[in-house]
Amino acid sequence: VKPVRAPHGTALSCKGWQQEAALRMLMNNLDPEVAERPEELVVYGGTGKAARDWPSFHAIVRELRSLENDETLLIQSGKPVGVLRTQESAPRVLIANSNLVGKWSNWDCFHDLERKGLIMYGQMTAGSWIYIGSQGIVQGTYETFAEAGRQHFGGNLEGRLIVSAGMGGMGGAQPLAATMTGACFLGIDVDAARIEKRITGGYCDEISRDLPDALARLNAARTNGRALSVGLVGNAADVLPELIERGVVPDLLTDQTSAHDPLNGYVPNRMTLAEAIRLRERDSAEYTRLSMAAMGRHVEALLALQARGAVTFDYGNNLRTQAKLAGVERAFDIPGFVPEYIRPLFCVGRGPFRWVALSGNPQDIYRTDRLVLELFPEDLPLRRWIDLAQRKIHFQGLPARICWLGYGDRAKLGLAINELVRSGEISAPIVIGRDHLDAGSVASPYRETEGMLDGSDAIADWPLLNALANTAAGASWVSIHNGGGVGIGYSQHAGMVVVADGTDQAARRLQRVLTTDPGMGVLRHVDAGYAIAENFAGTAGIHVPMRNRE
Amino acid sequence: VKPVRAPHGTALSCKGWQQEAALRMLMNNLDPEVAERPEELVVYGGTGKAARDWPSFHAIVRELRSLENDETLLIQSGKPVGVLRTQESAPRVLIANSNLVGKWSNWDCFHDLERKGLIMYGQMTAGSWIYIGSQGIVQGTYETFAEAGRQHFGGNLEGRLIVSAGMGGMGGAQPLAATMTGACFLGIDVDAARIEKRITGGYCDEISRDLPDALARLNAARTNGRALSVGLVGNAADVLPELIERGVVPDLLTDQTSAHDPLNGYVPNRMTLAEAIRLRERDSAEYTRLSMAAMGRHVEALLALQARGAVTFDYGNNLRTQAKLAGVERAFDIPGFVPEYIRPLFCVGRGPFRWVALSGNPQDIYRTDRLVLELFPEDLPLRRWIDLAQRKIHFQGLPARICWLGYGDRAKLGLAINELVRSGEISAPIVIGRDHLDAGSVASPYRETEGMLDGSDAIADWPLLNALANTAAGASWVSIHNGGGVGIGYSQHAGMVVVADGTDQAARRLQRVLTTDPGMGVLRHVDAGYAIAENFAGTAGIHVPMRNRE
Ligand SMILES: NC(=O)c1ccc[n+]([C@@H]2O[C@H](COP(=O)([O-])OP(=O)(O)OC[C@H]3O[C@@H](n4cnc5c(N)ncnc54)[C@H](O)[C@@H]3O)[C@@H](O)[C@H]2O)c1
Ligand SMILES: NC(=O)c1ccc[n+]([C@@H]2O[C@H](COP(=O)([O-])OP(=O)(O)OC[C@H]3O[C@@H](n4cnc5c(N)ncnc54)[C@H](O)[C@@H]3O)[C@@H](O)[C@H]2O)c1
């Protein structure tokens, strides 16, 4: 297969910029600079794919090229299944990936249907065409580490040691986010190629194949107050117990291996990666058994280090559930990162907002960076982030930027970007979207909705309403997925993307969508009884039909 | 609580007819003539509700009255949770009921959340405000019995005995549908009040409290070639074994008790209804245990009668699953009614289409009846149905009509109705909708998608795409539910309603929505490889991006 790259520049190959944006973003998701395993259509997160198979990919491209401005393309688990006449102000693409009826919503049924070619794993932004490479998670990870620093280390992570595993599409953001906060970072991954990829991309500083060597380098850096990230080739379930033996206790401890998928994600310990891959081919049941056991061992080591004082948290890959299934009763003594560090942001509609320059021209993104500083001059953390991002983030595929923005600010920025496109200061339309991990777009009891105040963790009405509302408001494309970061049956979430092409119609869409979308985040948390959200709704003038427990 | 009745007439109490339609249909769902237990907000199907609680009901009414023509009200499991600015051509209401993240999608989690006041069971048309009383299912039941008659009895059911149980909201349609086909019908229900209600409504002819008496009356009718329906007060799990003992073998045999809900639906045998209700209050675990055991016994009797020659089928209440859980290994030897009798209709987008006169004036419905005959003069079964319906169906609440229509005909009729509203021949707007049990709107492996040709039974992407597409196309309200007729975790489905108010905007909405909606039914069955659907798509000019297994 010849590598896929999104067209750059200002010429349309479709009948409108919304179709063109979907086309370029689909292709960008599969750009070898962006995707983890583009030849298999895998973008990130285990087997998160952009299209079901190559014939489906080509059919989507063909359909987008001929799609009229009042038509809508339907994608069912990465396959184009219909084109319907809707209306000009409606989305151009509607996507549903990996969704299964409740009782069948588990990996066994999923894999069975996947083997039959009937379904695909969409992760979050893979199947909904708004993944932007590791940058997508850098700011989230940076905010998480920084918040942990504020809560536990007086706001200063210099000289501190952060340990994690998994240097894949998402996990690869950790070393950079860590050094951005000033900390030292040890990242364990079984796959040397993944670590090399992070070094090439500027996300990780060094690679090591030997724990004492890695620790020595990190200790030297810590002593000198220098930030350093080292990728260690090894299996987390082997290396963490070794850390304990050596008496090393990290300051912050977490994990981003693909634990959500015990067969095609996590790699069992006590064997080489090559051996593991052969075993997976030969005997998937045995692979899964060993993989689950390794996750048990992995979490036991996390718990032991937590007991020795490491600030330990789960980073949204469902590792705790797998360990619990493997018999580690206390797995959920490790807190999740959302209730610990993220929920207060969700209450005001803040989340991983992002945009991409369809031109392919980095200058367009630098112009939006300046715009952010012009619009929000008083926001110091944002200023610090833009500054760091410009210096440290290498673009992958189409240039992009991520900023955690909240209700109000998103619409403000979106409209201002649209004006810059209109005036020509930005050379081509900008695509604006977000992760599915956002304020009002996900139900996931072991991650985004873990421990909700009213106990509504498992209620999935909210992400479905979010998708319907964004469709009603006229997003350019909208998606509903099952699975995401925690695996089949563990979450329901929705994505949305809207195109700023400098037209009046785009301005209306942006105003509506960038208000309804974070607005639902506020409403969801008001309904659950969060005071921050209630106060914010009051201040922002968001109409709440019934007060909590009216 | 004072009884709820929808306002009649042509005066608006809201800011537009779409809001007014939602208001009247919500109220109509709770009209004592329509709803099974209006004081508890229960419309039909076990605990299928129209609003979560009375404060939510009143808040919905208040919000609909003030809702602007470019706003959208969000309903989360029967509670109004937000009002968003969308666009004029978007839905006025978006609804998500009873949805749970996959792993939590079961009755235990649901009941737990229901006790906390956080969720509500929406059934299909209860929580989506387009239930029209027992008529809603009469034609479907009539078509099912008639199709069974064609397949097994040379097209003539005169002198035949149909036996079923459950005379509730849906099941109450069986006696009337049976006598419409010319057959005799025995309907068992533990609750005499339910049978009385069917008699008052004109759905059932007679009541009996004694099996020999009921059989004697039915035998007399059969001998005279007269159609007769008798409601027998009794428990199906007791009465069916008695039938076997007496050597009576029905010609057609099915069931419509609320088997999907073992706690609040099905009633255990060997006790009176009053005893059962007390037990339910006192010890819900014991109730459930006895209820499951009774369903086992019930299905064993069905299997025994099937072995003796009764044409037996499951009627979509998940009774087989419960019996299987209760240890009846062969429960699924009873076929489901959809693959047997309904799927060929779904392949051409046919399903339970319906409309309601917001005026409250029966003449408006009679005018639409004539319109149907004018538009489809060649369709003899339809003519026969309209004729029978006019003679036999008593309106409940707002006058309504149901007709199984397919792709093409739905849009044609919708537009023609809109013209009659415009011209004043019909006195007020007409609401047009359908059941969630429809061609492209449901995934339900033990009912609507049982035994799909390609094995895609459990894939829930389709109903979600259906809801998104109908939102994009501008339905007046759209809903996504979990549960429905088969219970929590067993189905995912979507509803839509669109208002014909005689305006040009309504004409555009009707044209789009009544095309996209059944169109998805055709596409879903094309994708699964049904030749009828493929041929139909070809003839109707429905664009299919990829041929099956391209
Ligand atoms: N926190 C978040 O916001 C968030 C967001 C999206 C995804 N996730 C989840 O985080 C996890 C990582 O996502 P990703 O995109 O980086 O996945 P990925 O599949 O691209 O990378 C996973 C990495 O883990 C490594 N690995 C697997 N088993 C290992 C083991 N036993 N020891 C050491 N390394 C091992 C693999 O070699 C791979 O490099 C996934 O479970 C994903 O679903 C979290
Ligand atoms: N086939 C379809 O198209 C379809 C559509 C919707 C719903 N359903 C399902 O059909 C079932 C019936 O729906 P409904 O609206 O009539 O429900 P309902 O709750 O209004 O009525 C159920 C009736 O069953 C009776 N019953 C309960 N246990 C009994 C027993 N052991 N013996 C005799 N009678 C008993 C009750 O007294 C009640 O009258 C439900 O499971 C529903 O989910 C099927």
Side-chain angles (χ1 to χ4, degrees), chain B residues 76-98:
Chain B
Q76 184 260 318
S77 283
K79 177 183 174 185
V81 294
V83 171
L84 301 173
R85 185 157 315 267
T86 57
Q87 42 181 332
E88 203 166 336
S89 59
R92 291 288 72 80
V93 189
L94 296 169
I95 300 171
N97 285 326
S98 333

Side-chain angles (χ1 to χ4, degrees), chain B residues 250-334:
Chain B
D251 296 298
L252 265 182
L253 178 62
T254 188
D255 181 68
Q256 285 228 354
T257 57
S258 292
H260 72 283
D261 186 341
L263 177 58
N264 295 307
Y266 197 85
V267 179
N269 62 331
R270 293 194 185 118
M271 63 180 79
T272 64
L273 179 60
E275 283 164 1
I277 291 167
R278 278 196 301 275
L279 175 62
R280 181 188 284 155
E281 295 290 308
R282 209 180 58 232
D283 186 347
S284 62
E286 176 65 4
Y287 183 101
T288 306
R289 205 184 58 75
L290 292 177
S291 178
M292 296 295 289
M295 288 194 257
R297 198 174 135 87
H298 186 159
V299 169
E300 269 164 7
L302 293 177
L303 286 165
L305 288 166
Q306 183 185 37
R308 284 169 175 71
V311 173
T312 308
F313 61 93
D314 174 279
Y315 213 158
N317 58 357
N318 218 10
L319 179 65
R320 292 172 300 177
T321 306
Q322 315 287 28
K324 184 127 193 236
L325 289 172
V328 183
E329 281 307 320
R330 294 177 42 239
F332 277 82
D333 285 2
I334 300 169

Side-chain angles (χ1 to χ4, degrees), chain A residues 100-179:
Chain A
L100 290 162
V101 177
K103 187 180 143 49
W104 292 263
S105 192
N106 58 57
W107 279 117
D108 281 348
C109 294
F110 176 84
H111 285 137
D112 186 38
L113 290 161
E114 196 185 32
R115 268 190 299 274
K116 291 184 184 147
L118 295 170
I119 204 165
M120 149 191 122
Y121 202 63
Q123 260 287 357
M124 291 191 142
T125 53
S128 61
W129 313 340
I130 187 73
Y131 184 66
I132 56 170
S134 293
Q135 184 191 175
I137 199 129
V138 170
Q139 198 198 11
T141 310
Y142 167 82
E143 293 290 349
T144 304
F145 289 161
E147 178 64 23
R150 276 188 290 274
Q151 291 187 20
H152 302 288
F153 305 103
N156 185 2
L157 285 170
E158 271 166 39
R160 298 288 175 178
L161 176 64
I162 305 180
V163 173
S164 185
M167 301 275 271
M170 297 277 107
Q174 298 176 105
L176 179 55
T179 53

Side-chain angles (χ1 to χ4, degrees), chain A residues 492-532:
Chain A
Q492 182 78 70
H493 36 91
M496 75 82 204
V497 178
V498 54
V499 176
D501 66 4
T503 60
D504 288 345
Q505 210 215 42
R508 285 191 297 270
R509 282 178 187 263
L510 288 159
Q511 170 67 48
R512 291 188 306 246
V513 174
L514 298 181
T515 305
T516 59
D517 186 49
M520 288 206 58
V522 179
L523 290 169
R524 199 264 175 271
H525 290 88
V526 169
D527 196 65
Y530 287 90
I532 312 179

Side-chain angles (χ1 to χ4, degrees), chain A residues 426-446:
Chain A
I426 287 175
S427 67
I430 299 276
V431 149
I432 301 178
R434 57 160 173 76
D435 197 357
H436 296 203
L437 176 157
D438 199 7
S441 57
V442 53
S444 184
Y446 295 156

